């Protein structure tokens, strides 16, 4: 489906696909799970989906979230605890609306929560909030991160201690409206609309030691095909849409992301955190609900995919539930594609 208004699920419970895993929590809706292990414990930083009554559209206006709850687990098979409100939009001085997919990092003895929100002029920026605890409460900085824009921050800390933020999302995430570092309010509502040219690239910036700002210029993350050519705008099955994530496996950098309107989580590998990355395949096939968004994390020597779907809400695309399943790397470094429903 091409429209975010579509909810690709059957009304009949009997005909509903059988999922390979169940929601980690069912008392609230949660999405976009960014999982981390801090001090031996698993923490999940998700969006907190709510029914706010905003009409569905292609810009994702119906994703009208107002706070963050952090989930935690003592072990991957244990109970998932909801630690309550960690940050509320009313306590973010610059934010107007729509708290979308967050991530978190640990450095300098503190925890940092990174999050996208529309500012008071309806332009998505990325903010940061700080806490001494992984579950918050987090205190938001007065302004968004300087030089940040668009959505879906994912912060990766490399083995040398350097941290990088990957970010961006097209369509409702507004990345297509940022050219030459400026926002064009009259720009395209979808993508660059240039099928034969390289697709819009996600962005990366190194974080400075304070973890509150970028250390250098924002760079484009290039995703190449096997011939070394950039993926084109028309390649909707493979090109970047949103939901960046980075993990390192056997010394290689794995950049994974959602293809949005074709609903895949894909991955591409490279030799530097800045890329370029070569497209390798699909991590996760489409889920029930329009969006697909994930994180990949190693826990006690095994790798896991955290993801979401909309089964619990009967297919409402803005009411999702986070899930987890094991992820396997083959001996050649490729990832075994995960099919989220039993065929
Ligand atoms: O949850 C709101 C938005 O939906 C996220 O920021 C996107 O990645 C998509 O999952």
């Amino acid at each position: 489906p091409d429209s975010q208004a579509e909810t690709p699920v059957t009304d009949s419970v009997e005909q509903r696909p059988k999922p390979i895993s169940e929601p980690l929590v069912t008392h609230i809706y949660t999405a976009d799970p960014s999982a981390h292990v801090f001090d031996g414990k698993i923490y999940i930083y998700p969006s907190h989906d709510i029914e706010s009554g905003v009409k569905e559209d292609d810009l994702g206006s119906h994703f009208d979230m107002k706070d963050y709850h952090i989930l935690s687990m003592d072990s991957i098979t244990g109970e998932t605890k909801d630690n309550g409100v960690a940050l509320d939009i009313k306590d973010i001085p610059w934010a107007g609306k729509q708290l979308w997919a967050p991530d978190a990092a640990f450095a300098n003895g503190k925890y940092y929560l990174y999050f996208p929100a529309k500012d008071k002029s309806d332009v998505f920026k990325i903010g940061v909030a700080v806490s001494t605890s992984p579950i918050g409460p987090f205190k938001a900085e007065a302004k968004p991160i300087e030089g940040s824009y668009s959505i879906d921050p994912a912060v990766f800390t490399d083995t040398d201690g350097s941290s990088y933020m990957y970010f961006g999302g097209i369509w409702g995430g507004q990345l297509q409206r940022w050219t030459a570092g400026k926002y064009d309010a009259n720009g395209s509502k979808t993508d660059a609309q240039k099928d034969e040219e390289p697709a819009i690239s996600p962005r990366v910036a190194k974080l400075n030691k304070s973890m509150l700002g970028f250390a250098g210029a924002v760079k484009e993350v290039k995703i190449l095909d096997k011939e070394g050519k950039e993926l084109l705008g028309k390649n909707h099955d493979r090109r970047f849409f949103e939901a960046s994530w980075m993990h390192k496996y056997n010394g290689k950098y794995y950049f994974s992301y959602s293809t949005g309107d074709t609903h895949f989580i894909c991955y591409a590998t490279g030799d530097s955190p800045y890329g370029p990355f070569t497209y390798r395949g699909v991590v996760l096939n489409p889920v029930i609900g329009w969006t697909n968004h994930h994180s990949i994390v190693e826990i006690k020597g095994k790798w896991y995919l955290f993801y979401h779907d909309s089964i619990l809400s009967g297919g409402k695309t803005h009411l999702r539930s986070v899930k987890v399943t094991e992820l396997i790397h083959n001996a050649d470094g490729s990832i075994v594609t995960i099919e989220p429903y039993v065929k």
Side-chain angles (χ1 to χ4, degrees):
D2 263 354
S3 164
Q4 293 212 4
E6 286 186 41
T7 50
V9 73
T10 169
D11 284 340
S12 148
V13 176
E14 294 75 38
Q15 287 168 19
R16 233 174 248 171
K18 198 176 164 331
I20 58 164
S21 37
E22 295 304 319
L24 291 177
V25 292
T26 56
H27 65 295
I28 56 171
Y29 289 110
T30 55
D32 310 321
S34 293
H36 291 274
V37 178
F38 294 134
D39 227 356
K41 198 165 160 171
I42 304 160
Y43 295 92
I44 307 162
Y45 297 82
S47 301
H48 175 200
D49 284 353
I50 51 163
E51 183 57 84
S52 79
V54 174
K55 213 172 149 285
E56 293 188 0
D57 63 21
D58 282 351
L59 296 179
S61 306
H62 47 304
F63 296 105
D64 188 28
M65 298 86 104
K66 298 186 191 312
D67 63 20
Y68 292 111
H69 285 223
I70 291 149
L71 308 177
S72 56
M73 304 165 93
D74 288 329
S75 75
I76 196 67
T77 50
E79 297 263 292
T80 306
K81 184 174 176 204
D82 171 6
N83 296 285
V85 176
L87 179 64
D88 192 299
I89 196 160
K90 68 175 177 6
D91 299 319
I92 305 169
W94 59 271
K97 60 181 170 191
Q98 291 178 289
L99 292 185
W100 282 15
D103 193 15
F106 174 75
N108 311 320
K110 294 180 203 144
Y111 296 87
Y112 298 86
L113 179 70
Y114 299 94
F115 58 91
K118 276 187 181 157
D119 69 10
K120 290 178 174 138
S121 343
D122 273 354
V123 179
F124 266 117
K125 299 271 174 69
I126 295 167
V128 55
V130 188
S131 177
T132 51
S133 159
I135 57 168
F138 285 88
K139 182 158 174 31
E141 293 290 293
K143 291 187 176 159
I145 294 175
E146 199 172 337
S148 75
Y149 48 89
S150 195
I151 60 166
D152 290 4
V155 173
F156 164 73
T157 301
D158 207 347
T159 28
D160 70 353
S162 306
S163 294
Y164 303 84
M165 182 188 289
Y166 300 85
F167 63 95
I170 60 173
W171 291 34
Q174 303 176 337
L175 185 58
Q176 73 282 358
R177 292 184 164 186
W178 286 90
T179 42
K182 274 212 169 110
Y183 181 73
D184 175 7
N186 299 313
S188 162
K189 285 194 166 167
T190 55
D191 56 16
Q193 301 189 313
K194 290 178 183 158
D195 277 358
E196 301 302 330
E197 290 187 18
I200 293 170
S201 301
R203 305 293 204 262
V204 60
K206 194 170 186 175
L207 288 170
N208 64 28
K209 289 260 180 304
S210 76
M211 299 294 275
L212 303 174
F214 295 155
V218 172
K219 296 179 198 285
E220 295 195 359
V221 175
K222 298 292 179 198
I223 306 173
L224 313 176
D225 64 17
K226 280 203 179 71
E227 279 73 51
K229 296 203 184 86
E230 282 185 60
L231 297 182
L232 298 182
K234 68 180 176 192
N235 196 347
H236 289 217
D237 278 348
R238 295 184 173 196
R239 61 93 173 88
F240 172 81
F241 189 104
E242 63 188 4
S244 295
W245 188 258
M246 171 61 64
H247 76 278
K248 198 174 184 182
Y249 178 77
N250 274 351
K252 281 256 176 210
Y253 296 87
Y254 285 67
F255 179 71
S256 49
Y257 56 96
S258 166
T259 62
D261 56 339
T262 51
H263 317 286
F264 296 106
I265 299 294
C266 291
Y267 73 107
T269 59
D271 296 317
S272 151
Y274 290 113
F277 299 100
T278 303
Y279 179 89
R280 297 280 295 272
V282 173
V283 173
L284 177 65
N285 276 327
V287 296
I288 300 296
W290 198 94
T291 67
N292 206 348
H293 193 126
H294 70 301
S295 62
I296 296 170
V297 62
E298 186 179 19
I299 301 166
K300 296 204 163 145
K302 284 188 173 185
W303 287 86
Y304 293 90
L305 176 81
F306 289 77
Y307 65 108
H308 67 223
D309 75 10
S310 296
I311 287 228
L312 185 65
S313 68
K316 289 203 179 75
T317 220
H318 62 294
L319 296 178
R320 302 160 289 181
S321 307
V322 304
K323 302 181 157 192
V324 65
T325 191
E326 198 177 342
L327 175 140
I328 307 285
H329 296 88
N330 291 311
D332 67 356
S334 60
I335 289 175
V336 177
T337 301
I338 292 166
E339 171 51 51
Y341 305 99
V342 179
K343 290 274 181 197

